[in-house]
Amino acid sequence: DLAAAERHLRRAERLDADHPEVQDNLAVIEINTGRLQEARQRLERLLHNHPEFAPAQRHYDALRRHLDGASPR
């Protein structure tokens, strides 16, 4: 259940707002619920703070490909 997962992650975020796994998982939930711009912003912040965090880079790259493909040319 995405809503329950998001609630748990929001609680974890309050305890440690900079935790890369929490931020990445919140971005994945945002992607899966159609909040693509929120996810993009979250992943950009995450990668700025933790450039070595490979899962976030993969999610960000996939999201950018999706957004670029969805944009009118």
Side-chain angles (χ1 to χ4, degrees):
D1 175 15
L2 286 177
E6 185 170 6
R7 283 192 302 275
H8 290 291
L9 287 165
R10 296 278 179 202
R11 271 188 240 127
E13 183 181 38
R14 285 192 294 274
L15 296 173
D16 185 358
D18 193 43
H19 194 286
E21 290 176 356
V22 170
Q23 294 302 318
D24 187 55
N25 284 320
L26 282 168
V28 169
I29 288 174
E30 290 166 347
I31 290 167
N32 285 303
T33 56
R35 296 175 283 163
L36 303 181
Q37 293 304 321
E38 290 176 48
R40 182 185 57 79
Q41 292 171 353
R42 182 180 301 280
L43 289 167
E44 287 174 351
R45 279 191 311 272
L46 171 54
L47 289 168
H48 176 77
N49 295 331
H50 301 278
E52 75 291 345
F53 193 69
Q57 188 64 60
R58 285 192 301 274
H59 293 137
Y60 182 72
D61 291 344
L63 179 58
R64 289 295 308 264
R65 282 192 303 274
H66 174 76
L67 291 173
D68 290 347
S71 303
R73 295 214 175 345

